């Protein structure tokens, strides 16, 4: 694990609600290496997108504490003019919803061309157009000359996502952040887009952060995986370790709630209670503890930190050592969890 | 005769055009769909966006006017039935988005009791008791009936939607992507719950979805739709282990494998299927790129292939 | 595109026919006629009846309508009983005046609305935004005719910067530089008064649209490309936000017509609005119907312009 591309140290991203700041991302340490896909997994509200936005500097009114080293430069709270030299050039981002991620009034060619124009002013107009067409080809869009002149609404969702990807990779970035790139797409389109990202990874030599809630996508794409819950990373491991030997109670619960793995018509595992809202996040102790109340409180750490249980495999809190799924009583639990909420 | 019998259902939407805005053509959203569903079973209707699966569901329940074909439910013809008859009361729908399908300005009590008010004459008190029972049935506390939808999480809202759907003790529920907007752990909760009440109330489900993992988990039989027509129909087993149509094969191959060890194999397999799909597209679809009529493979398994000879 | 325009033009035909019928029916329903009030009461009533027959007042309605429309087609809007001249000629002078007043008002409206809306939207919730928003609220609440009277009193009479009535200083030779200058001088106060009130709609609209567009995903895409803030605004936000303003243009014209009736009367500006009110008071029906018809057509044309502008700037409509 050499070639450190991005190193996040003790990142805390807080949003202001009324008069207080609430951390959506808390105490996050992460590294992304060159030529590696790091998947960040978690459910909505876990802070995975807030983390990505912090790296790209896309938050509007957030307080960002800690350090984000990109190629040894701390880019947390970098002033916009310096950040804009990196964004779109060394760092590219793919967004979730291709239907809204493109400007409806601009032709495709200009939207991709803009990324080139901003970072590569030596290119002449014709060179730029050539490069855009080359990019459209690269992301697998048929008839690129024609698509160049088209508006977003004339393209299908899958095609638009390819355009969004073309924008992100226009300047051969070293870091590519993909925020739920296939969530809004049909399965067959999803597999095409994932294959495309894989191909691009091979010839770009870039590091990729893949944000997703879909464990299937993680299994297919990731080299390493970070699992987030309530703003914190609860487990990090390489993909094989994580899928074979998940340790943190949250990771294990997540795996058990996916229908793909379970026997048809069997009961899926249900995590008790609900994901706490930003204002109600437990700030003390193990944040997952309220959702596994049958586990004795004493097994949680007072200030849970990430422990390296094997080389490269980190788990937060010590409760994993004592965690067990409750027998066949998942139905009762559910009732339980609900009445508490 | 099966519990729900859909015969050659067609839903065509007019396309307006030209200078005078006349109807110049039709979108064949649903173009000759037939399916039959046994009581107590779950039937999965699968397809990608634009395949017509949702329109099919809406036409069965009468939210969309059928252009042709018949829908027979429990022996009665309910095609294009508009009035609030007893049959309509037996068929209910669960919608995709628990955030927009519940009126934010109404209390849970009013949301859930709305169908009761339409069909049954209950006193305020009886109504309240019924709603409280329903809340308990869907695993929400009876006190929460005076809350508003925004006070609930996504999974809880979807259960409120289900409570509304089961309020009249329906026999058939059409569930249109009921878990697509939910996180995995919440999805598990709703799916478990749907199975529970199926047993409890002896429900029949028409489950519309695009997530094959969920469909596989829930359904006994599956129909695959593509551009308004069926390409394949069979038991869950048959569809997943022995898909016959190239489109089904491609759909099944596209499901991400949850085991990272199979990654390379899966990718290769998908590539092979893709090549096969491109090469043999013309063998499986007609000149317009639409599916052929279904031909039986086994008693339960039917595939859209050109007639031999 | 041409298809859209042609279709849009064809829709106008029934609109205008309907408008003419409504106006005609309303005119016929009005009590009295041109011969009832203005004619010397000493004339023999039988003679008046005779005149009524002669002028076709007892013809069946469809014949009267056909006559009226036939006249319209040839540019004959009837005769004013008050001014004893052809309505066409009478309106002719006024239309030009009203046109300039409307144009000046529109220019002022957008000159105010666009910068204010942009500032307010871009720096939303700042002190500047709050100030501008307060202005728009005051604008919404202030009746135009009161505001116009205040403007007239302050800038016309107290400070004396602008003339208080008319459209040009009498005695100037048309075509000379002084004449044009005087025309402009007479326009400023009424058009500015109207614009200051009329603009608040557009300011609010533009502000809200910019605040809306700022939250759109494609703005994130633009920022992620590394586009500096100025470019994000000029290239991505503004164009999208000005779109609905273009669509609003037609309604702007309609409200202009309503406003001009007050403004022209208060500022003694000889335009269509003033003529309209005078003619109503004097029961000069042929003028009233003609002016109403022209106002109606102006509103219909305004809506047409809106649609065409919108289809030019919005590719999503252009295709259809």
């Amino acid at each position: 694990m050499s070639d450190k591309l991005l190193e996040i140290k003790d990142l805390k991203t807080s949003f202001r609600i009324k008069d207080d700041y609430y951390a959506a991302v808390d105490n996050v340490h992460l590294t992304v290496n060159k030529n590696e896909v790091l998947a960040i997994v978690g459910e909505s509200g876990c802070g995975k997108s807030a983390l990505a936005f912090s790296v790209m500097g896309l938050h509007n009114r957030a307080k960002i504490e800690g350090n984000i080293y990109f190629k040894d430069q701390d880019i947390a709270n970098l002033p916009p003019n310096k950040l804009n030299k990196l964004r779109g050039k060394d760092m590219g981002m793919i967004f979730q919803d291709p239907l809204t991620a493109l400007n409806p009034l601009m032709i495709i060619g200009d939207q991709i061309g803009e990324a080139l124009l901003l970072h590569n002013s030596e290119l002449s107009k014709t060179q730029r157009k050539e490069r855009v067409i080359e990019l459209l080809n690269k992301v697998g869009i048929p008839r690129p000359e024609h698509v160049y002149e088209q508006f977003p609404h004339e393209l299908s969702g899958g095609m638009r996502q390819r355009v969004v990807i073309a924008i992100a990779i226009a300047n051969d970035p070293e870091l590519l952040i993909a925020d739920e790139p296939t969530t809004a797409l049909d399965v067959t389109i999803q597999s095409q887009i994932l294959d495309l990202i894989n191909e691009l990874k091979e010839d770009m030599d870039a590091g990729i952060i893949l944000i997703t809630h879909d464990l299937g996508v993680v299994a297919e794409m990731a080299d390493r995986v970070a699992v987030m819950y309530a703003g914190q990373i609860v487990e990090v491991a390489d993909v094989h370790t994580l899928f074979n030997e998940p340790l943190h109670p949250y990771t294990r619960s997540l795996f058990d709630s996916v229908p793909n793995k379970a026997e048809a018509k069997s009961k899926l595992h249900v995590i008790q209670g609900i994901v706490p809202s930003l204002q109600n996040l437990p700030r003390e102790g193990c944040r997952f503890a309220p959702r596994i109340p049958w586990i004795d409180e004493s097994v949680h750490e007072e200030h849970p930190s990430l422990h390296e249980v094997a080389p490269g495999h980190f788990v937060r809190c010590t409760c994993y050592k004592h965690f067990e799924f409750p027998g066949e009583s998942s139905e009762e639990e559910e009732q339980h969890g609900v009445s508490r909420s | 005769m099966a519990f729900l019998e859909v015969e050659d259902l067609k839903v065509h939407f007019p396309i307006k055009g030209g200078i005078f805005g006349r109807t110049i053509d039709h979108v064949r959203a649903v173009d000759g769909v037939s399916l039959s569903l046994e009581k107590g079973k779950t039937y999965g209707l699968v397809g990608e966006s634009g395949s017509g699966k949702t329109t099919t569901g809406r036409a069965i329940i009468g939210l969309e006017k059928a252009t042709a074909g018949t829908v027979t439910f429990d022996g009665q013809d309910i095609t294009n039935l508009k009035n609030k008859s007893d049959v309509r009361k037996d068929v209910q729908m669960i919608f995709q988005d628990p955030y927009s399908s519940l009126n934010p300005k109404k209390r849970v009590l009013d949301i859930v009791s709305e169908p009761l008010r339409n069909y049954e004459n209950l006193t305020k008190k009886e109504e309240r008791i019924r709603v409280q029972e329903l809340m308990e049935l869907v695993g929400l506390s009876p006190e929460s009936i005076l809350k508003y939808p925004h006070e609930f999480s996504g999974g809880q809202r979807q259960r409120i939607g289900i409570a509304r759907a089961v309020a009249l003790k329906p026999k058939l529920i059409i569930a249109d992507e009921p878990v697509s907007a939910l996180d995995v752990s919440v999805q598990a909760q709703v799916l478990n719950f749907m199975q529970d009440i199926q047993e409890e109330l002896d429900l029949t489900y028409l489950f519309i979805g695009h997530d094959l993992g969920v469909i596989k988990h829930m359904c006994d039989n599956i129909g695959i739709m593509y551009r308004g027509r069926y390409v394949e129909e069979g038991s869950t087993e048959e569809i997943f282990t022995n898909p016959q149509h190239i489109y089904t094969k491609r759909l099944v191959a596209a499901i991400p494998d949850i085991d990272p060890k199979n990654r390379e194999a899966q990718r290769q397999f998908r590539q092979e299927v893709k090549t096969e799909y491109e090469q043999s597209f013309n063998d499986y679809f007609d000149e317009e790129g639409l599916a052929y009529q279904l031909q039986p493979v086994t008693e339960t398994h039917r595939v859209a292939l050109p007639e031999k000879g | 595109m041409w298809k859209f325009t042609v279709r849009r033009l064809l829709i106008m035909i029934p609109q205008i026919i309907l408008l003419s019928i409504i106006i005609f029916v309303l005119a016929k329903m009005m009590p009295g006629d041109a011969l009832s009030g203005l004619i010397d009461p000493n004339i023999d009533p039988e003679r008046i009846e005779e005149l009524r027959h002669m002028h076709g007042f007892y013809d069946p309605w469809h014949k009267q309508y056909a006559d009226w429309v036939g006249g319209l087609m040839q540019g004959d809007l009837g005769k004013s009983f008050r001014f004893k001249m052809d309505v066409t000629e009478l309106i002719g002078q006024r239309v030009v005046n009203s046109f300039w007043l409307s144009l000046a008002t529109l220019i002022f409206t957008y000159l105010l609305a666009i910068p204010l809306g942009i500032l307010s939207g871009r720096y939303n919730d700042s002190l500047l935004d709050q100030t501008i928003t307060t202005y728009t609220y005051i604008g919404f609440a202030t009746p135009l005719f009161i505001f116009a009277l205040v403007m007239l009193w302050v800038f016309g009479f107290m400070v004396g910067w602008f003339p208080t009535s008319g459209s040009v200083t009498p005695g100037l030779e048309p075509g000379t530089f002084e004449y044009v200058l005087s025309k402009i001088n007479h326009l400023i106060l009424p058009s500015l008064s109207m614009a200051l009130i009329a603009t608040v709609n557009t300011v609010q609209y533009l502000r809200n649209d910019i605040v809306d567009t700022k939250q759109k995903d494609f703005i994130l895409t633009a920022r992620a490309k590394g586009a500096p803030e100025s470019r994000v605004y000029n290239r991505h936000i503004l164009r999208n936000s000005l779109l609905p303003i273009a669509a609003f243009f037609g309604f702007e014209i309609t409200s202009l017509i309503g406003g001009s009736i007050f403004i022209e009367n208060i500022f003694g500006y000889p335009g269509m609005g003033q003529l309209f009110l005078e003619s109503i008071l004097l029961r000069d029906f042929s003028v009233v119907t003609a002016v109403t018809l022209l106002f109606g057509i102006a509103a219909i044309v305004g809506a047409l312009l809106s649609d065409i502008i919108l289809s030019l700037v919005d590719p999503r409509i252009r295709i259809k």
Side-chain angles (χ1 to χ4, degrees), chain C residues 97-160:
Chain C
N97 281 339
S98 278
F99 172 76
W100 289 120
L101 180 65
S102 306
L103 189 69
T105 309
L106 278 177
I107 291 172
F108 278 127
T109 303
Y110 288 108
L111 273 181
L112 288 165
I114 290 172
L116 288 181
I118 288 173
L119 286 172
S120 192
R122 178 162 179 176
Y123 304 104
N124 65 316
D125 299 333
S126 67
L127 189 68
L128 181 67
D129 172 39
Q130 280 161 8
T131 315
I132 294 170
T133 311
T134 309
Y135 157 61
T136 62
Y137 287 151
I138 294 172
F140 279 126
T142 312
L144 177 61
F145 63 95
I146 292 184
F147 180 71
L149 280 173
V150 173
M151 289 288 280
L152 180 67
W153 182 59
V154 174
F155 294 101
F157 290 103
M158 281 179 62
V159 195

Side-chain angles (χ1 to χ4, degrees), chain B residues 18 33 51 53 73 76 116 132 152 169 197 200 202 205 233 242 254:
Chain B
V33 161
S51 62
K53 56 186 192 300
F73 170 75
Q76 264 181 286
L116 293 172
Q132 282 176 338
F152 295 89
K169 301 203 172 65
I197 57 164
E200 212 162 308
D202 193 22
Y205 285 132
E233 185 191 41
N242 187 23

